[in-house]
Amino acid sequence: MAELMPTEIHFGHVTYTVHTDATEINTDEPIGQGQVGASFHQLRAIWVLTEGMTLEQQQNTLLHEVLHCCVNVSGLQVPGKGPDETEEVYISAISTPLHGVLIDNPELHAWLVQGYPQRHMMGMTE
């Protein structure tokens, strides 16, 4: 049985909600034509298009947005022309290969998470 897309993703003490319907996110920020995902850091929300997308495309898009959130939560300032353009170049360059690494190496994921109970099971969500 296929797993459902998570509805929340925890970045340490920061929790983002995950949405597949952009109208659920109360924002004035425009979603660009052809855009398949977006991160709304002020709202702590992620949107992923699912309509017309394969499961692999949805997974890759969510991972891409998760990486944007990691940059935001860490406070990292990506050097270059502008934060949005430069960050997008880096995130796009690593999200697809990272997704492939996780798919091709399930033992890597298992090893990375061993010994760590899920935080929501420990009552550590916001």
Side-chain angles (χ1 to χ4, degrees), residues 25 31 47 55 60 62 91 103 105 109 114:
I25 302 171
I31 295 175
W47 165 73
L55 178 60
N60 193 40
L62 181 57
I91 297 294
I103 290 169
N105 300 281
H109 176 262
Q114 73 179 344

Side-chain angles (χ1 to χ4, degrees), residues 63-85:
L63 180 59
H64 178 101
E65 296 307 327
V66 163
L67 292 172
H68 278 297
C69 295
C70 287
V71 169
N72 181 265
V73 169
S74 73
L76 178 66
Q77 297 289 326
V78 180
K81 297 177 185 173
D84 291 337
E85 298 85 13

